[in-house]
Amino acid sequence: MKFFLDSADLEEIKEINSYGLLDGVTTNPTLIKRAVEKYGKIDLEAYIKKILKICRSKPVSLEIIGMSYGEIIKEARHLYKKFNSVAKNVIIKVPINVSENKRRGDSFQAIKAIQELSKEGIPINCTLIFTPEQAILSAKAGAFYASPYIGRVDDYLKEKNLLQDFGVKSGINAINKISEIFRREKVKTEILAASIRNRQHVREAFLNGAHIVTLPFKVFKEMLEHPKTFEGIKIFKRDTVLEYRKLFD
Ligand code: E4P
């Protein structure tokens, strides 16, 4: 059972790591933007190197931004070369499809690049997965991780007022189907459940076959909380008699 932190925030990464809970980190352009906004003018290259050093042997996903096969290959090699030497823990994150819609762009650009980069030995976290079919193709291309987006699948169903989308009833249901297929087909690609919004997502992702869950800092905290735990602490504090307290002297 592995937990990744879904964040590019150095303080959060340090904190979760200090609790011994960190197995890896996932970043994306939005998370990097949040870190830049929080810390102001930063030397991003040095900042990312700090993250990699803190994580040491734990994998850190860094995402490409290119929109074509050529750009993805160039950026992935560039990122890997620049950063993997720091702590040997870089995973390159590539979306399953870099087209903006059905008409704009070629749907096969990213999958072709994932295959090429995986063959070269660059580990790929294939991201923006919403269907089992996308996960199957990411595995077929040799991705190291397949990242289905639980929260965003649920958002999509809600926005469109759908009971299901391509036969998927929820983000967790997608994990379940992907896990069943990967198990039957003895697929090596690991399922990295992403877009986690709450503690139930974490539990259900593992129950439905995710190998890893990447979660925001606030969900780590939420996982430790219950009103009855807080209440219990107050009761224990109230009931601690002097004789008991003296045992600790
Ligand atoms: C992780 O790899 C993803 O980038 C992330 O989980 C997306 O989460 P969001 O849907 O909350 O933005």
Side-chain angles (χ1 to χ4, degrees):
M1 190 176 57
K2 285 184 189 161
F3 292 111
F4 286 4
L5 180 66
D6 199 18
S7 173
D9 186 323
L10 199 55
E11 282 174 11
E12 289 183 354
I13 295 168
K14 277 187 191 161
E15 194 172 336
I16 295 296
N17 194 35
S18 75
Y19 305 141
L21 296 173
L22 192 80
D23 295 311
V25 165
T26 48
T27 70
N28 64 34
T30 311
L31 295 170
I32 296 278
K33 178 174 176 254
R34 267 184 223 156
V36 169
E37 282 167 359
K38 178 174 171 183
Y39 296 106
K41 269 195 177 171
I42 51 171
D43 173 348
L44 193 55
E45 189 172 325
Y47 181 87
I48 290 174
K49 285 182 176 167
K50 270 190 204 159
I51 293 179
L52 296 172
K53 279 185 195 152
I54 290 165
C55 295
R56 261 184 248 135
S57 54
K58 298 157 186 174
V60 177
S61 292
L62 302 175
E63 189 160 338
I64 55 87
I65 52 173
M67 295 291 158
S68 67
Y69 167 80
E71 284 170 0
I72 298 169
I73 294 281
K74 204 171 137 206
E75 289 175 7
R77 285 178 185 152
H78 180 77
L79 276 185
Y80 197 69
K81 194 168 170 214
K82 188 192 281 281
F83 292 113
N84 195 50
S85 55
V86 177
K88 303 260 177 286
N89 56 348
V90 170
I91 306 283
I92 301 296
K93 211 169 170 192
V94 181
I96 183 70
N97 184 342
V98 288
S99 318
E100 281 182 53
N101 58 44
K102 277 190 185 184
R103 288 160 299 279
R104 285 191 64 189
D106 171 354
S107 291
F108 291 93
Q109 298 285 298
I111 201 76
K112 201 170 125 190
I114 291 168
Q115 184 144 33
E116 175 64 31
L117 294 163
S118 300
K119 269 192 208 149
E120 280 176 25
I122 297 182
I124 302 297
N125 173 359
C126 183
T127 192
L128 283 179
I129 289 180
F130 291 83
T131 67
E133 293 74 21
Q134 290 177 321
I136 289 168
L137 290 179
S138 77
K140 181 83 179 155
F144 196 77
Y145 299 127
S147 288
Y149 274 39
I150 295 182
R152 290 198 209 182
V153 168
D154 294 349
D155 292 346
Y156 185 75
L157 293 171
K158 217 166 142 192
E159 276 161 28
K160 304 276 175 197
N161 209 8
L162 294 168
L163 291 177
Q164 54 170 273
D165 176 49
F166 297 103
V168 168
K169 295 188 193 97
S170 65
I172 292 296
N173 186 230
I175 299 278
N176 182 286
K177 287 179 192 288
I178 295 165
S179 155
E180 182 60 19
I181 296 163
F182 280 18
R183 193 185 58 76
R184 282 193 201 197
E185 296 296 323
K186 299 187 175 53
V187 167
K188 287 203 185 85
T189 304
E190 294 200 343
I191 303 167
L192 202 178
S195 187
I196 299 290
R197 300 283 155 76
N198 52 52
R199 68 185 107 183
Q200 289 87 344
H201 276 165
V202 180
R203 169 212 311 162
E204 294 297 325
F206 282 127
L207 273 173
N208 285 277
H211 299 96
I212 307 157
V213 177
T214 186
L215 50 151
F217 185 89
K218 74 171 184 68
V219 179
F220 266 107
K221 189 167 172 281
E222 195 185 302
M223 284 169 71
L224 291 164
E225 296 171 344
H226 191 279
K228 280 294 195 188
T229 306
F230 296 137
E231 186 192 278
I233 286 297
K234 280 187 206 143
I235 295 170
F236 290 153
K237 208 172 157 189
R238 184 198 66 201
D239 292 346
T240 304
V241 293
L242 198 61
E243 292 84 339
Y244 192 48
R245 191 171 296 280
K246 276 189 180 164
L247 292 177
F248 301 94
D249 288 345

